[in-house]
Each structure stands twice: as structure tokens, then as C-alpha cells.
Amino acid sequence: RFCQETNVPSTSDNNNNTQPNSPDSLARTRAARMARLRKENEEEERRLAVLDRVHETNRRKEEQEKHDTHRAKTQILRNVDFSSIQGLDEEEQMKKLLGFAGGFGSTKGQAVSDNHHSAANGAAAKNKARKYRQYMNRKGGFNRPLDKMN
């Protein structure tokens, strides 16, 4: 038979004159317990190392994606041929660099069709003042209907 905890032969089955609490049996059970704990610790370290590698690869992928999106955003400015903007004034150069085809227009004084047909109807939104009703600490107690709102 084996002890469940230590997987060491039980000392009760031995017919020799060793006692269950003898220094030899305690040393064997300690050694077996330490070997089991070392094995569990090594397995835990292996699992953590695998998780660390997975997290590191995910972090690198995220950094690469950030770098790629930043490169794609800055690529827009690099596609402009700088010889084509050399003779232009500063405003025209800015328009070309930022990708504006037309000018910087305004709708001031012009009728915008969206405002006349959308939910806004071209008017400013005015918020009504909130009306509050008192639920607690009312004269007359709680078991009565709430006061009417004006």
C-alpha cells in the first residue's frame, strides 16, 4: 500500500523494526513531498513561461498594428509630389497637403436644404427647464399622492 499524500510505501506494511516516526521514514516522506512540490513548481513555471510568450507576441502584434496605422496616416502626406507645390503660395500648399480639392467655403447667408427637411427644421434647440417633485420629507407624510407638476 501507498500513502495517498506522499506516494511512499506505507510504514505500517513493513514488518521490519522501523517505527512510523523514525528519522529514516520522516526523511523519505519529506524527500518524496519535496520532489512532488518541485515537479508541480516546474510545471507551473512552464505554464507561466508559455503564457508570457503568448502575451509578448500579442503585445508585439499590437505595437506593429499601431506602427502600421501611424505609417498609413503619415503616408498621405508623403504621396504629395513636393515639386508640384514648390511654386504655390502657403494656403495652396496647405490645401494640397491636406487633400482639399476645393476652397474653404462657408454656408453663411445661404439656404441649406438639409436644415429645412430634417428633424431640426433649421431652428435652434431650446431646452425646457426641468420640473422637480419632492418625494421625501414632505408635509403630510409619504402615504399620499405626489403634488401635481405645473
Side-chain angles (χ1 to χ4, degrees):
R1 287 183 7 191
F2 287 91
C3 292
Q4 285 184 345
E5 186 178 322
T6 59
N7 292 334
V8 174
S10 175
T11 56
S12 63
D13 291 341
N14 296 342
N15 289 333
N16 55 8
N17 293 334
T18 60
Q19 298 171 348
N21 291 332
S22 71
D24 291 341
S25 67
L26 288 176
R28 280 195 305 264
T29 57
R30 257 191 225 120
R33 200 174 318 132
M34 289 302 292
R36 179 178 51 84
L37 290 173
R38 277 190 203 102
K39 184 179 176 184
E40 289 175 1
N41 194 15
E42 288 171 0
E43 289 173 4
E44 182 81 16
E45 290 293 328
R46 278 190 221 111
R47 278 187 271 142
L48 290 174
V50 168
L51 288 175
D52 285 344
R53 276 186 250 131
V54 168
H55 287 302
E56 182 65 24
T57 54
N58 288 342
R59 188 186 60 79
R60 285 184 184 157
K61 285 179 184 177
E62 288 174 2
E63 284 182 5
Q64 185 64 34
E65 288 173 0
K66 286 180 184 176
H67 183 67
D68 290 345
T69 56
H70 178 70
R71 185 183 301 149
K73 288 178 182 177
T74 57
Q75 190 66 28
I76 295 169
L77 294 176
R78 293 182 188 154
N79 285 340
V80 175
D81 184 20
F82 288 105
S83 62
S84 67
I85 63 172
Q86 287 295 329
L88 301 175
D89 65 335
E90 189 174 336
E91 187 175 341
E92 293 295 322
Q93 287 178 354
M94 188 62 69
K95 285 180 187 178
K96 200 152 200 161
L97 284 173
L98 295 177
F100 291 113
F104 297 107
S106 172
T107 58
K108 183 176 181 180
Q110 299 176 2
V112 179
S113 63
D114 244 4
N115 284 352
H116 298 294
H117 300 293
S118 67
N121 290 329
K126 290 186 178 180
N127 293 331
K128 291 173 62 176
R130 290 184 179 219
K131 297 178 182 177
Y132 298 98
R133 296 200 291 183
Q134 186 169 2
Y135 288 90
M136 297 185 67
N137 301 330
R138 297 184 293 153
K139 291 180 183 176
F142 299 113
N143 290 329
R144 64 180 180 83
L146 290 172
D147 298 331
K148 297 276 187 191
M149 290 181 61
N150 294 338

